[in-house]
Amino acid sequence: SVVRIRALGTPGAMREVLLRKDRESLLNIGFGRPCYFQGVVKDSAGQPVPIAKVTVDGQEAQTDELGEFVFPTIAGGETFAIAEKQGYAASWQKLTIVAGSTVEKGAVTFVLRKPARLEITIEERLNVDGQALVFLLPDPMDSAREFPWYRVSPVRMYPGGTVTVEDLPPKRVSVRLFHAGAVAKPLSRSVTLVEGATEHLALHLEPAPVLNGIVTVGGKPASNAE
């Protein structure tokens, strides 16, 4: 889960928390000794990207003509940052902020690449009264994250329709389809996205198995049974 914290007299924070079943998750944020954080945004050719939006721990800044940005007060702890600009795929980084420290110029660099596009079609028109959910995930799942996947997943669409997802990172992606009363065939698909290109992916559904039966008492149908 992504948790946003706002409090009077503080710069606020935005943290990622891993929730586990039947276990508590502890989130500690230290506002007492903030960090001075700076960095740079470049493109895949190594050139600075001006007027890019950078979000660090929930705070926002914009790069100058040299692609540089500054955050004077960032709370200590584990957080993440996102650099983005129209016409590029967003870049995501996990950060460890040391309380009271200064991150030197050049220590943190974001690289923005030209995006890819994915056109998704669900061929079968099953249960069209409700939307299907299409999840886009990095493939393999244990690869290092470089993109804010939570911003694009799930894609909501109606069976029998087509949706185009813009500004995706050029890499291999796992696609998983879920829809009430139906089963995806196959259960997951993979597609390699190419910088500046549109990939087309057709997904398929088939009706889910249905269980019918009867409950009797003494050979007679029993109503209101659970």
Side-chain angles (χ1 to χ4, degrees), residues 212-226:
N212 293 304
I214 186 169
V215 178
T216 62
V217 176
K220 296 181 179 181
S223 61
N224 301 319
E226 291 186 358

Side-chain angles (χ1 to χ4, degrees), residues 90-104:
S91 177
W92 185 98
Q93 281 193 37
K94 185 176 181 179
L95 299 173
T96 300
I97 305 297
V98 179
S101 66
T102 296
V103 176
E104 300 296 336

Side-chain angles (χ1 to χ4, degrees), residues 155-167:
V155 178
R156 299 177 183 273
M157 59 184 297
Y158 288 98
T162 299
V163 169
T164 301
V165 186
E166 306 278 354
D167 297 335

